[in-house]
Amino acid sequence: MVVGAGPSGATTALLLARLGHNVVLVDRARFPRDKACGEGVMPPGVDALRRMGLYERVLATGARPLRGVTYQLPGARPRVNVPFPVPPGGGPAGGLGVRRTTFDAVLVEAVRDEPRATVREGERVTGLLRNASATVTGVTTTAGEILGRIVVAADGLHSPIRAWSGLSVPPRARMRYGLAGHWGVATSARDAITVTLAGNHEWYEAPVGPDLLLVSILSYRSRHPVTAREYAAAARRSVPALRGAELVSGPLGAAHFHQRVRTVAEGGVFLVGDASGYDDPTTGDGIAIGMLLAERLAKHASDFLSGRISADAAAAGYARDHAVLVRERRRLTQLALFLARSPSLGRRAIGRAARNPAALGKLVAINCGYETFRDLTPRDWLSLAGI
Ligand SMILES: Cc1cc2nc3c(=O)[nH]c(=O)nc-3n(C[C@H](O)[C@H](O)[C@H](O)COP(=O)(O)OP(=O)(O)OC[C@H]3O[C@@H](n4cnc5c(N)ncnc54)[C@H](O)[C@@H]3O)c2cc1C
């Protein structure tokens, strides 16, 4: 059984059902549901959608193809465009700007279409069921009990299941928070995410529909934070496209991003997506990595459920794949936060990249999992340092 029907949980449930297993997918929310997000799906997430045969269905909801990321300082000077890289094996490059309401609903509908899957919405999981040897055998919910040979926790950043199963590591006090709102702005001329580094915070703009611009802020807590009440005025002051525009929905918020786990699989519980550990949304890859992790988890879980390997082997195999998928991305997030936190370094790095964007392009490729830090040359490091 799978708890949480966001992109990580829905992908896991869909793939397990397609591999021939009976799956229950349960979420406390009813879909379509909204969530604070920058709503950019990075290229590996788009690749995963294509593998699942869902790319066209997502596009039909009004999702917007994205060709890259534009980094800039306030006032748009300097400004550098970094195109998304082509995947190593070839194929189309590009991300997608999506509305979480429709994007997540497409995935949940795809699960519902599978004869072996049951979707239960509006049902909150309240605890874990265990057998005599303390292995988790299911969950209790607001509607009763659900048993499962494995329990997949895809219940998000502040995962209750991660806490109940003893897999959480106490979080470090990283005081970052985010707010996201939708604005009525013509987006036909936009085909990139725009990131504006503005001192102790960043603004993100993403086209997510024909006349819909998502504008989010990620910030360190400061003496003068941008609160939800001040979001609209601060966004209008900082993002020129919003002057005179209408705030259509939001803002929604989230905080305490840095979450770590002792292990990602143990005692019948498998953690996936944000529930399996998180750093910060700054690199915008949470949806994509959640779907990639779900693919690996579905494979190992299926091997166990089909009797090909033991539960311990499935847990170990998934933990190995998880480490490989997140290692370089976590380093990249640390580097991005370092640059975001040091205004003078960020300014120099973008100034240098405006003249030669190759090094910044390699960082975007690392974020996609197409390159690694080993591919950065000393010249690239100097360029990132603004030298
Ligand atoms: C401000 C901000 C900007 C971001 N920008 C981007 C971006 O541009 N691109 C990107 O890829 N990522 C971005 N992210 C991160 C992205 O939103 C997450 O990484 C992604 O949603 C993780 O998906 P998930 O399926 O793991 O969890 P979620 O999408 O959070 O889904 C978890 C689900 O679990 C359910 N649930 C929780 N508890 C229970 C319970 N007890 N019982 C039943 N159900 C439960 C919830 O209702 C929810 O539907 C951003 C995040 C923030 C906060």
Side-chain angles (χ1 to χ4, degrees):
M1 70 148 312
V2 181
V3 183
S8 315
T11 301
T12 310
L14 180 70
L15 296 180
L16 280 172
R18 286 182 179 174
L19 286 165
H21 306 287
N22 296 320
V23 185
V24 178
L25 175 65
V26 61
D27 201 296
R28 65 185 174 196
R30 289 189 184 282
F31 289 76
R33 68 103 174 80
D34 212 348
K35 142 168 218 321
C37 187
E39 300 189 324
V41 181
M42 294 299 118
V46 177
D47 294 343
L49 282 177
R50 285 203 173 90
R51 284 193 288 277
M52 290 191 287
L54 297 178
Y55 177 73
E56 299 297 336
R57 270 160 84 172
V58 171
L59 211 54
T61 64
R64 297 291 309 273
L66 298 174
R67 293 189 199 291
V69 188
T70 299
Y71 297 92
Q72 63 180 29
L73 297 175
R77 273 166 206 272
R79 177 183 170 95
V80 52
N81 299 315
V82 182
F84 284 130
V86 174
L96 274 181
V98 300
R99 233 352 232 118
R100 287 299 296 265
T101 40
T102 45
F103 177 74
D104 291 31
V106 164
L107 294 181
V108 171
E109 278 314 305
V111 178
R112 214 191 304 276
D113 288 346
E114 292 296 323
R116 288 186 175 274
T118 308
V119 179
R120 291 168 58 158
E121 297 174 67
E123 186 172 340
R124 191 163 55 83
V125 170
T126 52
L128 297 175
L129 297 167
R130 296 176 189 271
N131 64 15
S133 49
T135 300
V136 172
T137 55
V139 298
T140 56
T141 77
T142 42
E145 294 184 349
I146 308 175
L147 300 179
R149 286 182 63 203
I150 62 167
V151 171
V152 173
D155 49 349
L157 186 61
H158 301 292
S159 163
I161 295 191
R162 181 179 65 214
W164 298 331
S165 51
L167 298 179
S168 296
V169 171
R172 270 189 275 155
R174 280 281 180 94
M175 302 306 270
R176 289 260 290 178
Y177 68 96
L179 294 167
H182 293 90
W183 297 77
V185 170
T187 54
S188 55
R190 291 177 180 253
D191 60 3
I193 296 169
T194 304
V195 182
T196 307
L197 299 186
N200 78 335
H201 61 275
E202 313 97 63
W203 289 98
Y204 299 78
E205 299 162 55
V208 295
D211 289 309
L212 207 55
L213 187 70
L214 180 284
V215 176
S216 56
I217 178 173
L218 290 173
S219 179
Y220 286 94
R221 290 248 165 92
S222 66
R223 259 203 241 155
H224 305 290
V226 175
T227 62
R229 195 172 293 174
E230 291 151 10
Y231 162 85
R236 277 201 182 91
R237 269 196 313 274
S238 308
V239 179
L242 302 186
R243 288 184 196 132
E246 184 197 352
L247 177 62
V248 178
S249 72
L252 295 176
H256 298 291
F257 300 127
H258 190 85
Q259 304 289 335
R260 279 285 179 273
V261 299
R262 198 163 47 69
T263 176
V264 293
E266 191 177 85
V269 173
F270 291 76
L271 308 177
V272 68
D274 284 11
S276 67
Y278 195 70
D279 282 283
D280 191 277
T282 186
T283 46
D285 67 337
I287 297 172
I289 188 73
M291 293 168 77
L292 296 185
L293 290 170
E295 288 183 331
R296 301 314 304 157
L297 172 53
K299 187 210 167 282
H300 293 291
S302 177
D303 284 346
F304 163 62
L305 295 169
S306 308
R308 288 189 288 274
I309 60 172
S310 68
D312 285 349
Y318 174 56
R320 258 193 321 273
D321 286 357
H322 189 286
V324 169
L325 276 171
V326 304
R327 193 178 300 133
E328 295 277 306
R329 290 176 165 92
R330 283 193 174 155
R331 281 189 200 151
L332 184 69
T333 304
Q334 296 313 320
L335 180 60
L337 287 177
F338 181 65
L339 288 177
R341 201 167 191 177
S342 331
S344 60
L345 256 187
R347 244 191 327 270
R348 276 166 44 186
I350 291 188
R352 184 76 175 80
R355 281 174 274 133
N356 176 8
L360 206 50
K362 284 190 183 175
L363 294 189
V364 173
I366 292 171
N367 196 33
C368 291
Y370 301 162
E371 295 199 32
T372 71
F373 275 96
R374 282 192 301 278
D375 296 311
L376 288 175
T377 62
R379 184 185 287 259
D380 292 328
W381 281 111
L382 287 174
S383 169
L384 292 169
I387 298 167

